[in-house]
Amino acid sequence: MLVDTVRTRLGSALFSRVAGPDGPANRARIHDKPGPRWFAPDSPVRTVHGDASMFIGGIAALLLQSLHPLAMAAVAGHSGYKGDPWGRLQRTSTFLAVTTFGAAEDAQEAVDEVRAVHARIRGTASDGRPYRADDPHLLTWVYTAEAYCFLAAHQRFGAHPLDEEGRNRYVAEAARVATALGAEDTPADLPALRRRLNTYRPELRATPAAREAARFLLLTPPLPWAIRPAYGVLAANAVGLLPRWARRELLLPHVPVVEETFVRLGGHGMTRAIRWAMRPPT
């Protein structure tokens, strides 16, 4: 049928962008390899990370993470996010998939590889402060921002929003991966996650590098012009997930009536479309 053909082609194009040329082989290894996993099939972390709402949550997480000057200095100096944005996305999405759905031995191997990379990243921020990518304090910030944004996106746009117990379990399960990467004293439930986000606030500000990254993500993404309107809907809803203070730092506008009607409706429509396109064939 024509509809099935369109869905298959659209889903393949999305998967190729997110997972890269090795995506099919990685997907088979992640989902088909026998053995124990870090998380059970019905775990909240699988529910959240396997949903189309991650397209919005991922953009929001990058924006929020950029507000820590030392974390942003490491990204600007070493990640190559402008020169190879799709490669960075593909590596990140593969890591999330392996640690969430893959065999335990593969998840640990992925963590070990990332830790080895982090151990080599050192530098000095524009304000003269030294940074290192394996700093537990920075790793905990990265986890806090990710967990906050991924969960917020899922609760707003996910197919099956979590109840209170599920939300707390998600935070605890996400902390398992963060701890394996070297984060310390990670929040284990949603109230603790919100408190931790607030404890970082005195350290957070939008450096020129952070605002440059926001412009890149929101205004000049490396996408064909035909796709940019759809991406713009996702990006606008990612901005809508950020705390008000974070938006002020990044000089992002806040128009409540428009955001809570047209923008949010567009976000629901886009995530439903992505979910439909990427649904496995029956």
Side-chain angles (χ1 to χ4, degrees):
M1 293 176 61
L2 179 60
V3 171
D4 291 334
T5 300
V6 170
R7 183 175 68 83
T8 300
R9 289 181 177 176
L10 180 57
S12 296
L14 284 169
F15 181 74
S16 177
R17 280 287 191 179
V18 173
D22 297 327
N26 286 333
R27 179 168 57 186
R29 175 174 60 90
I30 290 167
H31 294 282
D32 298 341
K33 183 175 180 177
R37 265 66 178 162
W38 279 1
F39 305 109
D42 62 347
S43 62
V45 74
R46 286 192 171 206
T47 300
V48 173
H49 291 178
D51 190 81
S53 59
M54 286 288 284
F55 282 80
I56 294 175
I59 299 170
L62 292 173
L63 293 169
L64 187 56
Q65 287 168 350
S66 75
L67 289 176
H68 198 294
L70 298 185
M72 187 63 234
V75 169
H78 301 274
S79 75
Y81 77 90
K82 283 188 176 180
D84 184 26
W86 291 109
R88 186 167 188 262
L89 171 64
Q90 290 154 11
R91 291 188 293 273
T92 301
S93 66
T94 299
F95 177 82
L96 278 169
V98 171
T99 52
T100 304
F101 302 99
E105 61 180 319
D106 291 342
Q108 186 60 55
E109 182 180 343
V111 164
D112 293 342
E113 289 176 357
V114 171
R115 293 193 69 149
V117 171
H118 284 172
R120 299 193 294 269
I121 295 177
R122 301 284 190 276
T124 304
S126 60
D127 60 7
R129 288 184 294 166
Y131 64 80
R132 55 188 180 90
D134 59 359
D135 178 354
H137 186 69
L138 289 184
L139 290 168
T140 303
W141 163 245
V142 170
Y143 150 75
T144 300
E146 282 187 352
Y148 176 88
C149 291
F150 292 171
L151 184 56
H154 186 80
Q155 291 306 105
R156 184 169 294 179
F157 300 106
H160 303 288
L162 303 173
D163 60 14
E164 182 178 2
E165 179 186 0
R167 295 192 292 272
N168 289 328
R169 283 181 57 200
Y170 170 77
V171 173
E173 289 171 352
R176 176 175 181 176
V177 179
T179 300
L181 284 169
E184 293 182 350
D185 192 26
T186 50
D189 58 33
L190 184 54
L193 181 75
R194 289 171 174 156
R195 290 193 299 271
R196 182 60 54 83
L197 186 65
N198 285 330
T199 64
Y200 274 97
R201 280 196 62 182
E203 304 175 39
L204 305 179
R205 62 184 178 86
T207 60
R211 290 182 177 145
E212 183 179 354
R215 285 193 296 271
F216 179 77
L217 282 169
L218 301 176
L219 301 178
T220 59
L223 291 167
W225 284 102
I227 301 174
R228 288 195 182 189
Y231 176 85
V233 172
L234 298 175
N237 280 282
V239 170
L241 293 177
L242 296 176
R244 188 78 59 85
W245 53 264
R247 296 171 63 151
R248 286 196 300 266
E249 282 288 337
L250 290 169
L251 304 180
L252 300 175
H254 178 56
V255 187
V257 175
V258 175
E259 290 181 11
E260 292 170 11
T261 54
F262 300 109
V263 172
R264 192 171 299 187
L265 285 172
H268 283 290
M270 283 300 303
T271 49
R272 289 191 188 107
I274 293 169
R275 200 174 291 122
W276 170 77
M278 300 192 74
R279 186 176 68 234
T282 55

